[in-house]
Amino acid sequence: MSIQSLQHYRVQIEEQLKMELAGVTQQLLQAEQSIARLGQDLQLLESRYREETTQGLTIEQLLQWQSHFEAQASAMEQARRTQAHWQAQWDEARTKVVAASQDRRTLDRLIERYREAAQNDLRRREQMTTDESAHHRYTGQGEARDETNQR
C-alpha cells in the first residue's frame, strides 16, 4: 500500500467517524429535547393538579392524578436512561474521532518529513553534480593553462 493510499484511507476513516459522531450527536440532542419536553409537561401537570386540588378532589381523581405523575416519572426516567446511553455513545464516538484525527495528523507529518528528506536529497545530489561539474571545468582549465605555460 502506498503512502498516499494510506493517507487517503486515514482521511476516509476520519470522515466516516465524523459522520457517525454527527448521527450520535443528533440522537443525543433528541434525547435532551425529550427530557426538556417531559420537564415542561410535568410542570404543566403539576400546575393543573394544584388548580384542581384547591377545588377539592375525590379519591378517584386523586388516584388518577397519582397515576399521571407515576407515568410522567417513568417516562422521565426512561428519557434520562436514553440520554445517558446516547451520551456514552457520543463520548465513545468523540474519542474515536480524536484518535483518528491524531493518527491522520501523525501520518501527514511523517509524509511531510519524507518529502522534505527527498527534497534535501535531491538538492544535495544537484549540488554534488554542480560541484563535480565545476571541479572538472576548473581542473580542465588548469590543465589547459599548464599546457599554455609549458609552450
Side-chain angles (χ1 to χ4, degrees), residues 14-147:
E14 185 179 3
E15 291 302 315
Q16 178 185 358
L17 290 171
K18 284 180 181 180
M19 294 297 286
E20 288 176 20
L21 179 62
V24 170
T25 300
Q26 189 66 23
Q27 293 294 326
L28 179 59
L29 289 173
Q30 288 175 0
E32 290 172 349
Q33 290 169 353
S34 178
I35 290 172
R37 275 193 309 276
L38 287 170
Q40 291 170 349
D41 291 349
L42 182 59
Q43 288 176 349
L44 291 173
L45 192 63
E46 290 170 347
S47 177
R48 284 184 33 220
Y49 173 74
R50 280 192 293 277
E51 287 175 15
E52 288 191 23
T53 55
T54 58
Q55 299 169 2
L57 294 175
T58 65
I59 295 291
E60 291 83 25
Q61 289 173 321
L62 184 60
L63 291 174
Q64 190 176 28
W65 276 108
Q66 183 180 3
S67 174
H68 287 306
F69 282 121
E70 287 174 357
Q72 194 70 17
S74 176
M76 182 65 86
E77 181 59 32
Q78 178 60 40
R80 285 188 179 126
R81 279 194 302 270
T82 300
Q83 188 266 345
H85 165 77
W86 288 114
Q87 181 66 50
Q89 293 292 315
W90 187 89
D91 292 341
E92 183 180 330
R94 175 79 174 119
T95 299
K96 288 179 181 179
V97 167
V98 168
S101 180
Q102 289 172 342
D103 288 347
R104 183 194 47 80
R105 284 194 308 268
T106 299
L107 183 60
D108 288 348
R109 284 191 301 269
L110 181 63
I111 290 169
E112 185 58 32
R113 285 183 193 150
Y114 280 138
R115 284 184 185 142
E116 288 174 5
Q119 287 174 350
N120 289 339
D121 188 47
L122 178 63
R123 281 189 220 114
R124 189 172 42 253
R125 283 190 218 156
E126 288 173 350
Q127 185 64 44
M128 285 175 51
T129 303
T130 303
D131 291 349
E132 189 175 309
S133 176
H135 175 72
H136 287 302
R137 273 186 271 145
Y138 178 75
T139 56
Q141 288 176 356
E143 291 173 5
R145 273 187 263 143
D146 287 342
E147 288 176 13

